[in-house]
Amino acid sequence: MILKKKKELILKIVLLIAIIYILSSSSLHYKIGNVFFGQVSSLYNVNLANLFFRASIHPIIGNPPLFAHYQLSRTYFIKGDLDQALAEAQKELEVYPENIRTYYILGLTLGYMNREHEAIDAFSKFIEANPETWAARNDKAWLQFRIGDMDGALATMKPISYMKNNPWVQNTYGTILMNKKDYKGAMEAFNQALNETSMMTTADWGEAYPGNDPRIYAPGLNAMKLSIEENIKLLNTKLDPQ
C-alpha cells in the first residue's frame, strides 16, 4: 500500500512537471530552470534544469530571455557535454553580445577542452570588464600555468594576491611562486590557504561553485585541503632536498 502511494505521488509530480513544461512561457521556463539549478538547494536537479532551460530558448515571439542560453550552457558543462556547452555559450553571445558573463563559462568550457589559448582569451575579456574578479583570474592563471607561461600567470594573480582569506587564490598564487622559486612567498601563501580551509564549511566552499550539486561540496572541500597539503609537501622537498 505504501509503495503504491509512493508510485502515485511520483506519477502526479511527473504529470505536474509535464503540464508546467507544456503550458509555461519562455520566461517562466527560464525561472523554473533556475529553481532546479541551485536557487532552491533541496530541489537541485541538473537534468530538470536542463529540460526547462532548453524550453526557454524557444520563445513563440522574439528572443529567449537574457541568460537562457548561458544557463543552458552551464548545465551542459556540469553534465560533461562540452560541445553543447560551447555551442550554447556561443549562441548567448550571438543573441546578447553585451552579456560579458558568458565569457566566463566560455573560458571554462574551452579550458576543459584543452583549448587553452582560446580559453585564456575568453577569460581575458571577462577580466577586462571585471578587473576585481578572483575566480576568472584564478582560472586564467591555471591555464597560463598549464602552457608554461609563469610570468603571465603571475601577472594575472598579482592584482588579487592581497586576498589572504581566499584559499583558492592563495593556493594558486603559492603554486606560481613556488615555480618561480620564491619559496618563502609560496610557503606564506600555502599556509594562509591551509589556515582558511581549516575554518571553512562545506557551504562556504559551495558558494564558489553556483549551479553544482550540493552533494559535491564536502568532497570538493576535502580535495582542496589535500591539494594544499600536497603543495606544502612538495615545497618542503625543494627547501630541504635531503
Side-chain angles (χ1 to χ4, degrees):
M1 182 64 72
I2 294 175
L3 182 60
K4 182 179 179 181
K5 287 183 177 180
K6 284 185 176 179
K7 287 182 178 179
E8 290 175 351
L9 178 60
I10 291 172
L11 180 59
K12 288 178 181 178
I13 293 172
V14 171
L15 287 173
L16 179 61
I17 290 173
I19 292 170
I20 293 173
Y21 180 83
I22 293 169
L23 298 179
S24 297
S25 66
S26 182
S27 60
L28 188 54
H29 278 137
Y30 173 72
K31 291 176 182 177
I32 296 170
N34 284 323
V35 169
F36 289 116
F37 199 44
Q39 195 172 82
V40 180
S41 59
S42 61
L43 295 178
Y44 182 89
N45 188 307
V46 69
N47 291 316
L48 284 177
N50 179 272
L51 175 71
F52 281 100
F53 288 142
R54 276 190 284 124
S56 76
I57 64 172
H58 299 294
I60 296 174
I61 301 174
N63 291 325
L66 177 67
F67 285 110
H69 283 291
Y70 167 89
Q71 289 290 70
L72 182 56
S73 173
R74 292 177 66 215
T75 62
Y76 278 124
F77 178 82
I78 290 172
K79 286 161 63 71
D81 190 341
L82 299 181
D83 288 329
Q84 279 298 114
L86 179 62
E88 293 301 330
Q90 291 170 334
K91 287 176 184 176
E92 178 73 22
L93 287 172
E94 287 175 13
V95 181
Y96 296 106
E98 73 281 5
N99 189 356
I100 302 299
R101 275 176 59 184
T102 307
Y103 286 107
Y104 188 89
I105 186 61
L106 195 61
L108 281 179
T109 303
L110 289 166
Y112 271 80
M113 297 174 84
N114 297 317
R115 294 162 63 172
E116 286 90 353
H117 292 281
E118 293 172 82
I120 289 169
D121 287 342
F123 281 127
S124 295
K125 290 177 182 177
F126 182 87
I127 293 168
E128 184 178 356
N130 304 275
E132 294 301 313
T133 175
W134 70 264
R137 285 186 179 276
N138 203 60
D139 291 326
K140 178 184 175 181
W142 267 118
L143 290 167
Q144 291 170 307
F145 179 89
R146 271 165 51 177
I147 64 174
D149 182 10
M150 296 302 162
D151 290 335
L154 185 60
T156 297
M157 293 300 292
K158 273 286 188 182
I160 56 171
S161 61
Y162 70 89
M163 297 180 178
K164 303 297 183 183
N165 64 341
N166 187 315
W168 290 273
V169 168
Q170 293 306 314
N171 194 32
T172 299
Y173 189 50
T175 301
I176 296 166
L177 291 177
M178 179 168 60
N179 281 270
K180 293 288 290 181
K181 301 187 186 305
D182 180 357
Y183 298 144
K184 180 181 178 182
M187 186 60 80
E188 290 176 358
F190 289 146
N191 283 332
Q192 186 67 39
L194 192 62
N195 180 61
E196 291 299 322
T197 55
S198 70
M199 300 182 290
M200 183 175 282
T201 66
T202 54
D204 292 334
W205 187 90
E207 287 181 3
Y209 300 94
N212 279 277
D213 191 334
R215 289 173 294 186
I216 73 165
Y217 291 177
L221 176 56
N222 289 333
M224 185 166 71
K225 289 178 180 177
L226 182 60
S227 169
I228 297 166
E229 290 168 356
E230 290 297 321
N231 280 336
I232 291 174
K233 288 178 183 178
L234 178 60
L235 181 56
N236 281 328
T237 64
K238 296 178 181 296
L239 292 169
D240 185 10
Q242 300 300 323

